[in-house]
Amino acid sequence: LVQQETLLAVRCMTMFKNVFGSGFLVRTAHVILTWVITLILFLHDTELRKQEETGQLVQPVLFVLLVLVSVLLYFAVSLMDPGFILSDDSDLQFTLGVTEEQQDMIPPSTKSLRQRRCGHCLLQQPMRSKHCQTCQHCVRRYDHHCPWIENCVGEKNHRWFVLYLGERSLWLRTNATLLTVAVLVALLSLIVLLLLGSHLYLVSLNTTTWEFMSRHRISYLKHCGADENPFDRGTFHNLWGFFCLWGTVVWEQVYFREGSDQV
């Protein structure tokens, strides 16, 4: 009884770690994406919105229930114990998860094959179990480690994982067009943000993309050191001059004033 309570406590700690561990951001992103798309479907001029406004609530209610079940299955699969082997037991039957009658039905030669030790956690591994390098545990009937749920798929959660995939398949088919547009917008937004960041960086240095990429071929820069920029007047002044000062700048004056010995 004490041993079972210890195992229960360890499983609770493992679940707590799963909730607030490295998968926290992944799970948060999953939930946000799911509900944002769902809200868009109801807030914009979509078929679900039209049915809701006309009082035809069967499909909207079924859709919301589908989303709820999908999210619940996601958290169930990602947070539950996939079948971690947490300790050795003196009773081999408990370790293998079989009853006394089932134990007697196993041929002796098979028993000897199943009694093997993990090279990482040094625990006895039942057949079809494998050590997961990411979770740092041996998992019963190991299938794979899924980065989207940040958990292993094993003996205890494999069926729920399959059900979750089935729910997601229905959800994706329902939102295929909107999801495709969302992905394209996200990719384009990422490209724009990267361009914005790179240009702000160059502006803060008072240089241009051409000067940054081809300074070794530009006559007035190729003699400068790798970190030397004759137009750099400090981050604040560079940004202030770029955004707040209008008019044409005589860069020759800046160039020769900052380094009169340069030619």
Side-chain angles (χ1 to χ4, degrees), residues 199-200 203 206 233 237-246:
H199 279 280
L200 286 176
V203 168
N206 204 348
R233 294 175 289 183
H237 287 93
N238 292 337
L239 293 173
W240 177 266
F242 184 84
F243 288 106
C244 301
L245 299 181
W246 298 85

Side-chain angles (χ1 to χ4, degrees), residues 215-247:
R215 61 179 295 131
H216 61 284
R217 293 184 297 177
I218 300 175
S219 59
Y220 57 85
L221 291 178
K222 62 182 180 180
H223 65 276
C224 299
D227 298 325
E228 185 180 357
N229 178 16
F231 307 114
D232 186 4
R233 294 175 289 183
T235 302
F236 176 78
H237 287 93
N238 292 337
L239 293 173
W240 177 266
F242 184 84
F243 288 106
C244 301
L245 299 181
W246 298 85

Side-chain angles (χ1 to χ4, degrees), residues 123-212:
L123 296 177
Q124 184 170 323
Q125 290 181 325
M127 187 174 288
R128 303 185 72 190
S129 64
K130 182 183 179 297
H131 185 87
C132 176
Q133 296 286 356
T134 304
C135 295
Q136 292 299 312
H137 286 295
C138 288
V139 180
R140 298 176 187 273
R141 213 197 69 188
Y142 176 87
D143 187 83
H144 72 286
H145 182 90
C146 180
W148 184 240
I149 65 173
E150 274 295 321
N151 197 10
C152 280
V153 177
E155 184 178 63
K156 293 186 176 181
N157 66 345
H158 197 169
R159 62 177 61 86
W160 299 109
F161 182 76
V162 173
L163 289 174
Y164 165 71
L165 293 180
E167 293 286 340
R168 295 302 293 176
S169 177
L170 291 173
W171 187 86
L172 288 173
R173 283 202 298 270
T174 306
N175 301 278
T177 303
L178 183 61
L179 186 61
T180 302
V181 173
V183 170
L184 291 176
V185 171
L187 290 175
L188 291 174
S189 300
L190 178 61
I191 293 173
V192 171
L193 287 175
L194 289 175
L195 285 173
L196 174 63
S198 63
H199 279 280
L200 286 176
Y201 172 73
L202 294 177
V203 168
S204 70
L205 298 177
N206 204 348
T207 189
T208 64
T209 303
W210 173 58
E211 290 173 341
F212 185 79

